[in-house]
Amino acid sequence: CPDGSYVGRTGPNCEFTACPGEVDISSWKTYTNTDIGYEFRYPATWSIDDQSAYTLVGHYIILNPPNPEPFTIHFSVTLDNRDLATIRRVHTNSGKQEAVITFAGKTAYTYSDNTSAKYPIYIPHNGKILVISAGSRPAEIDQILSTFKFIP
């Protein structure tokens, strides 16, 4: 394990148990979008709410934990019809600082007003701008985002 401890094998398939502090994602579900080309895993107790039919951008999913607070977005993936230059100009003109990051192997962008905010994340992918937004439950969201990958 990263912390120097050791774990044993368990269960009918003799799999390694999770390291201390790690989350076992073996029971998680997988959301896949082959049209845009991405997938991620999420806890089996969470649910996907596909709002794509109700938006002008053509793709909008919301991932909710069990019993979500009303009117709270916990995690969403959508498209932004603007180009990166326009997104950059809107954010920097409002005083936000741009940070260039790597997300799932791709160059991505976040904008912050000197807070530790790391969302939304703007990711150019296949000629589109994918936007990941997150609200509450940061530890769980980070675990979900660690499973995010782009697919052909």
Side-chain angles (χ1 to χ4, degrees):
C1 295
D3 67 358
S5 64
Y6 298 90
V7 294
R9 293 180 178 266
T10 187
N13 296 327
C14 198
E15 297 170 335
F16 282 106
T17 57
C19 289
E22 287 186 0
V23 175
D24 178 10
I25 65 169
S26 62
S27 65
W28 284 21
K29 296 179 181 178
T30 301
Y31 174 84
T32 303
N33 184 298
T34 55
D35 292 334
I36 298 172
Y38 73 93
E39 69 180 29
F40 62 86
R41 302 204 51 198
Y42 62 98
T45 57
W46 289 44
S47 62
I48 295 283
D49 182 9
D50 189 341
Q51 295 287 313
S52 298
Y54 310 108
T55 179
L56 296 175
V57 295
H59 179 70
Y60 183 44
I61 63 153
I62 301 170
L63 180 61
N64 286 311
N67 306 310
E69 297 88 17
F71 309 108
T72 300
I73 300 295
H74 295 281
F75 178 83
S76 68
V77 181
T78 188
L79 292 175
D80 193 318
N81 288 334
R82 300 173 294 178
D83 61 25
L84 190 57
T86 302
I87 293 167
R88 179 176 284 134
R89 186 173 56 255
V90 166
H91 286 292
T92 57
N93 285 349
S94 66
K96 295 183 178 178
Q97 299 295 314
E98 179 181 79
V100 180
I101 64 171
T102 300
F103 179 80
K106 291 194 171 271
T107 300
Y109 305 86
T110 63
Y111 298 89
S112 174
D113 52 6
N114 295 325
T115 66
S116 60
K118 54 185 172 182
Y119 303 106
I121 302 170
Y122 296 88
I123 311 139
H125 176 63
N126 291 342
K128 299 175 182 174
I129 305 288
L130 197 64
V131 183
I132 296 176
S133 298
S136 61
R137 301 175 180 251
E140 290 168 295
I141 297 302
D142 285 347
Q143 293 163 355
I144 292 167
L145 288 178
S146 73
T147 70
F148 197 102
K149 63 182 176 182
F150 293 97
I151 56 176

